[in-house]
Amino acid sequence: MKVKPHRPYTGEYENGQPAPNILVYLLWLLVHKLVTIVEQLMQSLRQPFFSKRIRIKTHQYAEHQQHQQQLPAPVSKLSKVPKHLVVLLGPEPPLYRQLAQFIFWSLAAEIEYVSFYDHNGTIKRNCEEVKRYVREAPVEGKDRIVWLERSGGGGGGVAEANDSPRQPVGSGRTVVVGFLAPEDGKQGLVSLSRSIGESVRRRDLYAADVSIELLDSRLQAALGAVPDPDLALYFGDVCSTYGLLPWQIRLTEFLPLGTRLRDSSEREFVRCLHRYAKCEQRLGT
């Protein structure tokens, strides 16, 4: 039996490739963690500065007291405001009282549609919590808040007013509030594709009739004829859609709103509206 001579360790594999240095790897991991902590600390201490302010009256709900809040920016003078706003949550748990604030702010800014989405579907399952905070809020104009109720199984949505006579949707005097979950996004697109495939197989629909316009109209009908989102607000440094409506967000602007949901304020909200108003979309032909 031939014994292979001992080879001293040189930090390389037998094929000549350098072996990974565990100490260097751990050091880089530690540096990355420290930089992340420092960056989060700096963002939490950073305060937005506004050079111009005008007074737009709205009300902010507090649990035991009522006071009048003002949006510190000329919202009424913006060149455009989003027609459909989506508040997008990532891994953090939802705070329903804070989410209710976005409805009041949107009502003051004359945004017609507001949707809430998280990738676990928690907000949609517990949407009654948001409605409860809205009902209990000592705020005027709650009769102009319309809840979008969707039937199960990907059916169309039905707008229902909040214990008040039905208001005209799209007049600029109401805000339609909806709740989204993953089944409304990728899963809904897959279900619709299967449904169309079955219709073609049964010859209820011709393959030549399947088009982008058909998919778009059916997806919009499944969401209650709500227009595609114009603006999506997310929290933190990671910009991820988390599966939000992949078909409808092709022209959506994604803007960060603070580090955490609990730190969001009407100032940050208006700052995002200003950034959105400055966005220019150039569509190819």
Side-chain angles (χ1 to χ4, degrees):
M1 179 178 180
K2 185 177 181 181
V3 180
K4 187 175 182 180
H6 173 70
R7 180 182 178 185
Y9 177 74
T10 59
E12 296 182 350
Y13 291 120
E14 292 186 0
N15 58 5
Q17 296 294 330
N21 193 319
I22 298 179
L23 182 60
V24 174
Y25 172 78
L26 293 177
L27 181 61
W28 276 111
L29 191 63
L30 177 62
V31 171
H32 179 270
K33 187 66 176 179
L34 291 176
V35 171
T36 302
I37 294 175
V38 172
E39 187 178 19
Q40 291 178 351
L41 180 62
M42 293 297 294
Q43 288 186 355
S44 63
L45 297 177
R46 190 179 303 149
Q47 297 293 334
F49 177 77
F50 292 87
S51 58
K52 297 181 181 180
R53 301 179 62 181
I54 71 168
R55 301 171 63 148
I56 297 179
K57 295 182 180 180
T58 183
H59 293 271
Q60 183 180 25
Y61 173 60
E63 189 170 4
H64 300 293
Q65 63 180 359
Q66 176 183 5
H67 64 277
Q68 188 172 1
Q69 193 69 32
Q70 299 167 357
L71 295 181
V75 175
S76 60
K77 296 183 179 180
L78 291 176
S79 59
K80 64 177 181 179
V81 294
K83 188 173 184 179
H84 184 188
L85 168 70
V86 175
V87 179
L88 175 63
L89 284 188
E92 64 177 311
L95 302 175
Y96 301 104
R97 183 171 62 183
Q98 192 68 20
L99 293 176
Q101 297 283 16
F102 285 91
I103 301 176
F104 302 137
W105 297 339
S106 299
L107 190 62
E110 297 185 351
I111 298 174
E112 298 181 26
Y113 298 87
V114 179
S115 299
F116 299 97
Y117 175 86
D118 72 292
H119 64 289
N120 292 320
T122 305
I123 301 178
K124 186 174 183 178
R125 288 194 302 270
N126 301 319
C127 62
E128 292 299 327
E129 291 294 319
V130 179
K131 296 180 182 181
R132 179 173 66 86
Y133 280 112
V134 171
R135 286 194 301 266
E136 296 176 356
V139 176
E140 297 178 356
K142 288 187 292 183
D143 57 330
R144 295 188 284 129
I145 298 175
V146 179
W147 304 106
L148 186 64
E149 305 292 345
R150 295 188 178 90
S151 59
V158 178
E160 297 181 355
N162 181 27
D163 300 330
S164 63
R166 176 75 178 271
Q167 299 288 340
V169 176
S171 63
R173 301 181 59 86
T174 61
V175 56
V176 179
V177 182
F179 303 92
L180 300 171
E183 59 264 22
D184 301 310
K186 292 182 179 180
Q187 298 177 19
L189 185 58
V190 170
S191 299
L192 178 59
S193 300
R194 289 176 177 173
S195 175
I196 293 178
E198 288 293 326
S199 298
V200 173
R201 187 180 63 84
R202 295 193 306 265
R203 297 185 179 180
D204 297 333
L205 182 69
Y206 293 104
D209 296 332
V210 179
S211 62
I212 294 178
E213 290 75 16
L214 176 67
L215 289 173
D216 190 62
S217 62
R218 292 201 177 184
L219 284 173
Q220 194 174 42
L223 294 178
V226 175
D228 295 346
D230 303 297
L231 174 62
L233 300 179
Y234 65 92
F235 304 91
D237 297 327
V238 179
C239 180
S240 174
T241 65
Y242 293 101
L244 168 69
L245 303 178
W247 182 271
Q248 293 90 341
I249 61 173
R250 55 191 181 277
L251 299 178
T252 304
E253 295 288 341
F254 285 79
L255 296 178
L257 182 68
T259 305
R260 299 177 299 177
L261 172 61
R262 67 178 60 188
D263 299 327
S264 60
S265 65
E266 65 277 359
R267 286 176 175 247
E268 289 288 333
F269 179 76
V270 174
R271 180 184 61 84
C272 290
L273 293 184
H274 273 266
R275 289 186 60 185
Y276 171 78
K278 295 179 181 179
C279 293
E280 296 183 3
Q281 292 183 342
R282 296 180 176 88
L283 304 179
T285 57

